[in-house]
Amino acid sequence: MNDTLEFANEETAGLDKKRLNEAVARGILRRAQADRLAAFWVQQERIADDAEPVSHADVEEVRFVRGFHDIFIAIGIVTFLFGLSYGLRTMGLSSVGPGITAVAIWILSEIFARKMRMALPSFILTVAFTPVFFVACIRLISGQSGQGFLGLFTFDQIEPSELILPTLVAIGGAALHYLRFKVPVGLAMIAGGGVFLAAVLLEIVVPGPLDNHIAWFLLLSGIACFLLAMFFDSRDLDRVTVNSDKAFWLHLLAAPMIVHSLLVIVAGEGGDQGASYAFLVIGLFLTLGLMAIIVDRRAILVSGLGYFGAAIGVLMTEADVSSEATLAVTLVLLGCFILLLGSAWRTVRRTLVSPFSSTALMRFVPAIN
């Protein structure tokens, strides 16, 4: 999680990451050169081992848990943070609780993210830091006390203009946390903060339209996050460095915003829940599936699975099938779709992407093997 290389295959024989990182630290290699050397090294070992010539992007690995020790420590971190927050609240220190909790998260990050470089604990600490620090900033700058656990749920009579400075400070804190600990999901937290800041500024400049056109705002925000994800994807087409993880979390942030906003724009909030709505949802899902296959990112597809399953359920209901049978058939069809597409992902992708093999598109997506 530090400013070091992260490779998709931790067990690659002969790939001495410590020496490669040391070469970067001493200025012998630049970071980009080290990334390319790592990718070349992995490819050469696959060739030497007579491995099947498949891009590592097909695997789409995410360095999330490296052993049960990660899970064990993560349980301890979550338990400690909840206990700390509850204890501060019972002692009447709820006004400074988020600030103290944010400091505790940073200290834990120094131990588990920077020193021990544990994947799951680093992820949890990074995801927790930004919202907790944001609430602490609101309480410190605006003087609002907030309601609910850590004050994350509601604030009394807070104006949009009062959110600008706390949001800017929170984004700055998230950026410092990312620069310090280099946890890939930190970029998604910064991007999420940027989306929230844009919403606040828009509400201040043009009050009202955001409430009536939130779907369009989410769609544009999702597209912006998707383009940022594609930027990092294009820097690591073989997906053997940490740029792949950065792109993954940004895709995971962008996908639900794009999927939900498109459905609301085209079908309206909730739709008419009839057959026409169901076919529309399925059509949009298949379109998003095509995009997911082209860029080789399953996260885009996963975000629409719930809507796809709901559409199947609507069609079953229209066919006058009992609710129990509808649920069973929906789950079976959805599961079959996932299994079939997952097992034939490479074949489907080769078929769909082959027509673009000689175009500029291939500069931004993994090659077809």
Side-chain angles (χ1 to χ4, degrees):
M1 301 296 177
N2 297 339
D3 188 18
T4 56
L5 294 174
E6 293 286 349
F7 303 116
N9 186 358
E10 296 290 338
E11 304 296 332
T12 303
L15 185 56
D16 195 333
K17 294 185 295 182
K18 290 184 179 179
R19 292 182 180 179
L20 203 54
N21 287 318
E22 183 67 21
V24 174
R26 295 186 181 184
I28 300 173
L29 292 175
R30 292 193 298 273
R31 178 64 54 194
Q33 291 174 321
D35 286 345
R36 291 196 297 269
L37 180 57
F40 172 77
W41 206 331
V42 172
Q43 291 171 350
Q44 291 301 306
E45 288 192 350
R46 290 198 186 107
I47 293 173
D49 292 338
D50 264 341
E52 185 180 359
V54 52
S55 170
H56 195 80
D58 290 328
V59 181
E60 198 175 0
E61 290 183 359
V62 180
R63 272 72 75 187
F64 194 69
V65 179
R66 292 173 182 163
F68 190 78
H69 186 53
D70 277 26
I71 299 175
F72 186 71
I73 294 296
I75 294 173
I77 289 173
V78 172
T79 304
F80 170 78
L81 292 178
F82 270 88
L84 176 63
S85 301
Y86 181 77
L88 291 170
R89 193 175 175 188
T90 56
M91 290 188 296
L93 299 174
S94 58
S95 60
V96 296
I100 296 175
T101 304
V103 172
I105 292 173
W106 190 285
I107 294 173
L108 291 174
S109 298
E110 290 285 349
I111 299 172
F112 298 108
R114 185 170 179 83
K115 184 177 180 180
M116 301 181 67
R117 299 181 62 207
M118 302 181 71
L120 183 58
S122 300
F123 169 82
I124 292 174
L125 291 168
T126 302
V127 171
F129 177 78
T130 301
V132 172
F133 184 59
F134 173 64
V135 173
C137 291
I138 291 179
R139 293 192 175 186
L140 177 64
I141 297 173
S142 70
Q144 294 288 332
S145 60
Q147 302 294 326
F149 180 70
L150 285 180
L152 290 175
F153 302 140
T154 60
F155 285 88
D156 297 329
Q157 299 178 345
I158 189 167
E159 297 295 329
S161 58
E162 295 180 288
L163 289 173
I164 296 179
L165 185 56
T167 304
L168 285 173
V169 175
I171 293 175
L176 288 175
H177 192 277
Y178 170 74
L179 292 174
R180 175 67 174 171
F181 304 110
K182 299 295 183 181
V183 184
V185 74
L187 275 180
M189 303 305 295
I190 296 171
V195 171
F196 182 79
L197 178 62
V200 170
L201 293 175
L202 182 61
E203 182 64 23
I204 293 174
V205 176
V206 188
L210 187 62
D211 290 334
N212 300 324
H213 304 285
I214 186 65
W216 285 102
F217 173 79
L218 289 177
L219 177 61
L220 294 176
S221 300
I223 291 174
C225 292
F226 171 77
L227 293 176
L228 182 60
M230 290 304 301
F231 167 76
F232 287 105
D233 263 343
S234 66
R235 297 181 63 186
D236 181 21
L237 297 182
D238 289 318
R239 298 185 181 165
V240 294
T241 70
V242 76
N243 282 325
S244 176
D245 283 359
K246 297 174 185 177
F248 173 83
W249 295 115
L250 287 168
H251 277 300
L252 210 59
L253 173 67
M257 289 192 288
I258 294 174
V259 171
H260 178 72
S261 58
L262 279 175
L263 288 172
V264 171
I265 290 170
V266 176
E269 187 67 46
D272 59 8
Q273 297 300 314
S276 59
Y277 173 78
F279 283 118
L280 177 61
V281 170
I282 292 174
L284 286 175
F285 176 76
L286 294 177
T287 302
L288 290 170
L290 175 63
M291 182 174 68
I293 291 170
I294 290 176
V295 302
D296 207 7
R297 280 297 184 184
R298 294 159 181 80
I300 301 173
L301 199 59
V302 170
S303 295
L305 287 177
Y307 293 101
F308 183 60
I312 295 175
V314 169
L315 291 178
M316 297 293 295
T317 302
E318 290 287 319
D320 198 23
V321 179
S322 67
S323 58
E324 293 81 3
T326 297
L327 177 61
V329 172
T330 299
L331 293 177
V332 169
L333 291 177
L334 191 59
C336 287
F337 174 81
I338 297 172
L339 292 175
L340 289 173
L341 182 59
S343 58
W345 184 271
R346 288 169 50 202
T347 302
V348 173
R349 186 169 187 271
R350 184 183 300 113
T351 302
L352 295 177
V353 180
S354 291
F356 306 100
S357 57
S358 59
T359 66
L361 174 67
M362 300 310 296
R363 293 165 50 191
F364 304 96
V365 300
I368 312 166
N369 291 310

